[in-house]
Amino acid sequence: MNTTAALLLRKANLSEVPQIWEIIQDAIEQRRLEGSKQWQDGYPNELSIENDINNGFGYVLTESETILCYAAIIFDIEPAYEEIEGKWLTDGDYVVVHRVAVSKLAKGKGIATKLFQKIEDLAVQQNTYSIKVDTNFDNIPMLKILDKLNYTYCGEVYFRGGARKAYEKQLS
């Protein structure tokens, strides 16, 4: 991997669904190997990705045209976040990050951390100064990233019947 090439966060194209789906499948398998219950029930699937892209939520982080990771970045209300067992840091506009998956080509290179830094930049460009994210209690890699980037644990939210740890970061 060429570390001098610029990392670019951009909207994904429908033509990229097969590549993105491969990255998601690797992430699903990684979760399974780590003993996580996250993403082990048929979600997300290719339709989730197509819907993200059609809705303008699907983003890829690329380096020299190679897709290194995928995320749904949503500048809108997340209905599941309306009910939190705990308290969010802010009540205003926020960006939601879902379905983060890193290519196995980029594993262990800090790419997910760079992705979140790019999302922070994007949020500020859109005059949105809060990022909210949730993850499974057993998704250790994501919990470490959120800790490293100073996200604040706010409580639990419920998705598809399961409790998830909810985090928020205020941007300045």
Side-chain angles (χ1 to χ4, degrees):
M1 197 161 124
N2 179 354
T3 52
T4 58
L7 293 172
L8 175 69
L9 180 66
R10 63 164 173 80
K11 289 198 174 189
N13 302 309
L14 281 173
S15 64
E16 295 169 321
V17 168
Q19 288 168 273
I20 294 166
W21 177 232
E22 202 172 297
I23 291 169
I24 298 267
Q25 284 180 299
D26 288 342
I28 291 169
E29 178 62 6
Q30 190 65 42
R31 295 270 74 73
R32 188 186 70 76
L33 292 172
E34 291 167 0
S36 174
K37 301 264 184 280
Q38 189 172 1
W39 290 5
Q40 301 303 306
D41 61 357
Y43 166 93
N45 52 45
E46 278 182 281
L47 189 59
S48 316
I49 308 311
E50 287 174 18
N51 287 340
D52 284 346
I53 294 169
N54 285 329
N55 288 318
F57 304 152
Y59 282 77
V60 288
L61 187 68
T62 63
E63 182 181 67
S64 307
E65 303 299 310
T66 303
I67 297 174
L68 300 180
C69 60
Y70 175 80
I73 303 172
I74 306 166
F75 285 86
D76 201 358
I77 299 296
E78 167 53 73
Y81 289 3
E82 297 294 294
E83 304 269 328
I84 183 171
E85 289 180 2
K87 183 159 177 33
W88 292 112
L89 301 177
T90 66
D91 294 325
D93 292 342
Y94 59 90
V95 62
V96 182
V97 183
H98 282 319
R99 295 180 281 290
V100 174
V102 177
S103 165
K104 55 186 174 193
L105 299 172
K107 285 273 188 276
K109 297 188 186 332
I111 291 297
T113 301
K114 290 184 175 77
L115 169 73
F116 272 90
Q117 290 165 337
K118 294 271 188 195
I119 293 170
E120 290 176 17
D121 294 344
L122 179 67
V124 171
Q125 285 165 16
Q126 307 266 346
N127 296 312
T128 303
Y129 298 95
S130 164
I131 297 178
K132 293 181 181 179
V133 64
D134 68 89
T135 191
N136 232 45
F137 64 92
D138 62 3
N139 186 339
I140 305 304
M142 182 59 77
L143 293 170
K144 283 183 176 162
I145 290 164
L146 295 172
D147 181 54
K148 181 160 79 174
L149 294 175
N150 300 313
Y151 279 71
T152 301
Y153 174 71
C154 294
E156 290 188 351
V157 293
Y158 288 84
F159 266 103
R160 295 165 45 252
R164 321 261 297 166
K165 291 182 112 169
Y167 292 82
E168 182 175 5
K169 182 172 182 177
Q170 284 182 272
L171 307 171
S172 45

